[in-house]
Amino acid sequence: MKYKSINWVVAAAVAGVFFLTGCAGTAHIEKDNAVDFSRYQTYAWMEKPNVEGEKSTRNNELIEANIRNSVNNELIKKGWKEVAAQPDIMLNVELLVEKNEVEQKDAVYSPSYTRSYYNRFSGRVVTLYYPGQFVGYDSYATTVKEGTITITLVDNKTDKTVWQGWTTSELNGGRITGKEIDRSVKTIFRKFDTGK
């Protein structure tokens, strides 16, 4: 009995890991294969240009700070350092939140039913249960909010984009949370290769 409960806990933990990694979405990258990334060690953030008519809210500032913190943490793990002057790389991050139509499919089953038969040999009524059978899928479209985080690295000397990574994930509740940001940034940086 003890072993069964341990197996159940392990199975639940593994399912939880798959669920969390599934929420993050898939990361995509584009990079300049001619660039030796091992020579990059320092970076600085690009200043955002002031766009006329664009409103800056405290919520946007908090989201941007969370994204920057997550990216900083991942780059520190790679051995990179943020500097104030003469960085190797200029770094930019963008977040795009948009509505998207997603097709959902629900399995459809026929109703289950029971039938009763009289058994003349035993003199009893026997009831048989017939479970519902799979008959297909019911398809419908729903509107979801998706957030796309894009991280761009620009060589400071050549002013050329050398690496770009992005991931899109469905947002729970319509607004991106700190945990979702952290998961998305980690998903992108799993594909960040600092070798040539």
Side-chain angles (χ1 to χ4, degrees):
M1 190 71 178
K2 188 177 181 181
Y3 294 113
K4 286 185 180 177
S5 63
I6 291 172
N7 288 340
W8 182 84
V9 171
V10 171
V14 169
V17 168
F18 281 119
F19 173 75
L20 289 175
T21 54
C23 292
T26 303
H28 307 278
I29 64 158
E30 289 290 333
K31 74 174 188 174
D32 186 342
N33 291 321
V35 172
D36 180 8
F37 283 84
S38 63
R39 66 186 175 93
Y40 297 134
Q41 295 177 350
T42 61
Y43 69 95
W45 288 92
M46 289 184 189
E47 292 298 321
K48 279 199 157 193
N50 290 329
V51 179
E52 194 174 325
E54 185 180 40
K55 293 182 180 178
S56 178
T57 65
R58 294 198 184 276
N59 188 48
N60 290 346
E61 290 171 7
L62 184 60
I63 289 170
E64 188 174 328
N66 286 338
I67 294 173
R68 284 191 178 206
N69 288 338
S70 291
V71 172
N72 285 337
N73 289 337
E74 293 301 315
L75 286 175
I76 288 167
K77 289 177 190 174
K78 302 287 184 186
W80 288 34
K81 183 180 178 184
E82 185 176 4
V83 295
Q86 301 302 315
D88 298 326
I89 288 289
M90 295 301 296
L91 192 61
N92 186 46
V93 174
E94 292 180 1
L95 170 66
L96 175 66
V97 177
E98 58 187 349
K99 290 181 180 177
N100 196 9
E101 291 280 324
V102 176
E103 185 181 350
Q104 301 281 351
K105 287 186 176 182
D106 289 339
V108 178
Y109 293 88
S110 63
S112 58
Y113 62 95
T114 58
R115 277 204 178 149
S116 297
Y117 297 94
Y118 176 73
N119 186 333
R120 61 186 177 135
F121 299 106
S122 66
R124 295 182 185 170
V125 174
V126 178
T127 302
L128 299 176
Y129 173 77
Y130 295 90
Q133 299 292 315
F134 175 74
V135 294
Y137 289 98
D138 183 17
S139 299
Y140 57 95
T142 58
T143 303
V144 297
K145 273 194 176 181
E146 293 180 333
T148 302
I149 294 178
T150 305
I151 302 169
T152 306
L153 278 64
V154 178
D155 188 300
N156 193 32
K157 289 181 181 174
T158 63
D159 203 31
K160 286 185 177 179
T161 299
V162 293
W163 190 91
Q164 191 171 58
W166 67 96
T167 186
T168 301
S169 55
E170 189 176 320
L171 303 181
N172 294 326
R175 284 190 177 178
I176 192 161
T177 65
K179 284 184 180 179
E180 288 169 330
I181 288 169
D182 206 41
R183 259 198 314 265
S184 294
V185 170
K186 283 179 179 177
T187 300
I188 294 169
F189 273 98
R190 281 191 199 106
K191 294 193 173 183
F192 184 67
D193 184 10
T194 55
K196 191 166 182 179

